[in-house]
Amino acid sequence: MDKLKFFREAIRDIKTSGTIFPSSRFLSRRIVKNIDFSTVKVIVEFGPGNGIITKEILKRIQPHTKLIAFEINDKFFESLENIKHSQLIIEKVSAEDITPILKKHGFDKADCIISSLPLTNIPTEISDRILANSYAAMVENSLFVQYQYSLTYYKKLKEVFNDKVKLSFEAFNIPPAFVYIAQK
């Protein structure tokens, strides 16, 4: 691959994933740590990328649980299709469309949403719709888990989730990441 093509692909991936490094196993474990897998029936994952967090979720879900992954990046979508798991549903649509996709698969609400979306790279009007639609699509007391590489969205998540947002930090990731745990 020539250098120019490599850099163009790297820039495209940064825009859709927020980084050129995949999430570490430490970050993946921290993200799923607060989820009660014995009770959730529908987990939604936004921006699963190459599937590192997806695989961590699939290791822990119960036989009655479905995982619906939203991925718009062609390369990552193809990578996710290689994960063969009967409980995984992969959709190539925007996270804004959470409600119609849940209904398409026979669900009214999500029990948990895990987001790896690079919210700071997404236009504000779209990220605002994603958060509002996510909140509306969640059952009461469910979790919205989001990681970012800065504290930029802490205030926004507190507005959407009525101050029910906890923060943790994972140093063993490149780059280190903040994990927001919001509760409806």
Side-chain angles (χ1 to χ4, degrees):
M1 175 184 309
D2 69 39
K3 289 179 184 177
L4 184 57
K5 184 177 178 186
F6 172 80
F7 285 113
R8 282 188 180 138
E9 286 184 12
I11 289 169
R12 182 200 66 226
D13 289 348
I14 289 171
K15 286 181 180 177
T16 58
S17 70
T19 184
I20 58 172
F21 299 103
S23 301
S24 71
R25 70 179 187 272
F26 301 103
L27 179 58
S28 297
R29 289 176 188 153
R30 183 172 298 273
I31 287 169
V32 301
K33 178 180 168 184
N34 293 294
I35 300 166
D36 181 357
F37 285 96
S38 67
T39 62
V40 295
K41 293 181 181 93
V42 181
I43 300 173
V44 169
E45 184 181 14
F46 294 151
N50 62 6
I52 290 174
I53 297 169
T54 307
K55 290 173 186 170
E56 192 67 37
I57 297 166
L58 291 171
K59 278 192 238 174
R60 298 167 188 256
I61 63 174
Q62 300 297 308
H64 65 274
T65 305
K66 289 290 184 190
L67 171 58
I68 304 173
F70 289 65
E71 181 56 68
I72 60 170
N73 178 297
D74 291 332
K75 186 172 102 178
F76 292 143
F77 184 84
E78 289 172 17
S79 177
L80 290 168
E81 288 185 311
N82 292 323
I83 301 173
K84 304 299 182 202
H85 198 288
S86 63
Q87 293 165 268
L88 175 62
I89 300 166
I90 308 163
E91 290 285 350
K92 192 174 183 185
V93 296
S94 170
E96 294 172 277
D97 297 325
I98 183 171
T99 299
I101 294 300
L102 284 170
K103 292 202 181 306
K104 172 183 171 182
H105 295 288
F107 303 108
D108 292 322
K109 302 278 185 177
D111 297 303
C112 178
I113 298 174
I114 297 170
S115 174
S116 300
L117 295 176
L119 295 172
T120 55
N121 294 357
I122 298 172
T124 304
E125 62 276 3
I126 295 172
S127 64
D128 285 351
R129 275 195 306 272
I130 290 169
L131 290 176
N133 293 353
S134 295
Y135 188 85
M138 295 169 66
V139 297
E140 211 53 46
N141 296 314
S142 59
L143 295 182
F144 180 93
V145 182
Q146 168 77 51
Y147 79 89
Q148 297 280 268
Y149 301 114
S150 71
L151 291 171
T152 309
Y153 265 79
Y154 186 61
K155 182 179 176 185
K156 183 67 175 174
L157 285 172
K158 286 186 88 164
E159 289 171 11
V160 172
F161 288 91
N162 304 312
D163 287 327
K164 293 182 180 178
V165 181
K166 291 187 263 176
L167 186 64
S168 83
F169 182 72
E170 183 52 63
F172 295 111
N173 193 67
I174 300 175
F178 294 94
V179 177
Y180 304 98
I181 300 114
Q183 185 175 25
K184 180 169 180 179

